[in-house]
């Protein structure tokens, strides 16, 4: 094989590699745009009641333990007492602990890990085959919740489904028309559920 042929092949391989990389970058950019446009507000997981976090302070075994987020949204930790955790990320909690522990431990190295996620619960009630409370490990939309509940019964009012949400003491209601979704319309009704949401099927 001549030197000129080798050079030509290498040039073609380089061009193909560049095009592939540009294509991947374009796909990654579009995927990022899709993620940002999702209707769920949290960019990172926010802790809630019943979640379990492991807190470790480097070189201090007595300050390493697992704690549960209480119903009032607080966690208890030695030296610093109660620390707000619900509605915050693990990084928020870590920074708060570092700030408070500074009074007792010089330059504390703190790590906070969420090890058991028990707060993201949703509820489905009414004319479904398996009504109840569902603990799910991922964000769930209305259709997925109905599927978890075994689907609608034959006498369910499929176009009068409601999602009940309590937000800072205010009760909100979202309508869901299953028949529209089945026909491929009104897809914006299939919202992502937040922890504590109740899907009511009359």
């Amino acid at each position: 094989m001549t030197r000129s042929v080798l050079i030509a092949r290498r040039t073609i391989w380089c061009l193909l590699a560049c095009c592939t990389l540009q294509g991947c970058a374009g796909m990654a950019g579009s995927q990022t745009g899709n993620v940002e446009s999702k209707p769920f507000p949290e960019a990172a997981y926010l802790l809630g009641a019943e979640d379990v976090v492991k807190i470790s302070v480097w070189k201090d075994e007595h300050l390493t333990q697992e704690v549960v987020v209480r119903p009032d949204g607080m966690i208890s930790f030695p030296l610093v007492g109660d620390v707000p955790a619900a509605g915050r990320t693990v990084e928020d909690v870590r920074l708060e602990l570092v700030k408070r522990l500074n009074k007792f431990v010089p330059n504390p190295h703190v790590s906070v890990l969420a090890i058991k996620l028990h707060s993201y619960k949703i509820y489905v009630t009414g004319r479904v085959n398996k009504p109840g409370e569902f603990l799910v490990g991922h964000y769930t939309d209305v259709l997925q919740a109905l599927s978890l509940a075994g689907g609608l019964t034959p006498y369910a009012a499929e176009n009068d489904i409601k999602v009940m949400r309590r937000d800072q003491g205010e009760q909100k209601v979202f309508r869901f028309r299953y028949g529209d979704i089945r026909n491929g319309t009104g897809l914006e009704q299939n919202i992502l559920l937040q922890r504590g949401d109740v899907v009511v099927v009359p």
Side-chain angles (χ1 to χ4, degrees), residues 55-158:
I55 302 172
S56 304
V57 180
W58 189 51
K59 289 187 177 181
D60 196 330
E61 294 182 359
H62 300 291
L63 292 178
T64 296
Q65 55 184 260
E66 295 179 7
V67 296
V68 180
V69 182
R70 303 195 308 255
D72 63 357
M74 309 292 282
I75 59 173
S76 297
F77 196 69
L79 298 180
V80 300
D82 290 346
V83 177
R88 308 176 81 182
T89 66
V90 290
E91 178 63 11
D92 293 335
V93 175
R94 188 190 72 81
L95 292 174
E96 180 73 21
L97 286 168
V98 169
K99 178 182 176 181
R100 297 193 184 196
L101 285 170
N102 262 321
K103 301 176 183 178
F104 309 97
V105 180
N107 193 27
H109 293 273
V110 181
S111 66
V112 180
L113 299 173
I115 58 174
K116 295 177 183 178
L117 305 181
H118 291 164
S119 69
Y120 188 63
K121 296 177 182 178
I122 58 173
Y123 305 83
V124 184
T125 185
R127 290 181 174 175
V128 291
N129 290 300
K130 295 186 297 181
E133 172 188 278
F134 298 92
L135 174 64
V136 286
H138 55 83
Y139 294 136
T140 302
D141 59 33
V142 182
L143 278 179
Q144 290 169 330
L146 293 174
S147 178
L148 288 171
L152 309 182
T153 64
Y155 298 104
E158 63 176 22

Side-chain angles (χ1 to χ4, degrees), residues 40 120-125 140-146 157-167 170-178 188-202:
F40 208 84
Y120 188 63
K121 296 177 182 178
I122 58 173
Y123 305 83
V124 184
T125 185
T140 302
D141 59 33
V142 182
L143 278 179
Q144 290 169 330
L146 293 174
E158 63 176 22
N159 285 331
D160 197 25
I161 298 172
K162 301 178 182 67
V163 177
M164 314 293 290
R165 174 176 301 165
R166 190 170 298 280
D167 185 9
E170 179 185 355
Q171 188 75 49
K172 297 182 178 179
V173 179
F174 302 88
R175 305 283 179 175
F176 183 83
R177 294 175 58 86
Y178 184 83
E188 70 281 353
Q189 302 174 79
N190 191 31
I191 60 174
L192 286 174
L193 300 175
Q194 297 183 14
R195 60 167 58 94
D197 281 359
V198 182
V199 180
V200 182
V201 182

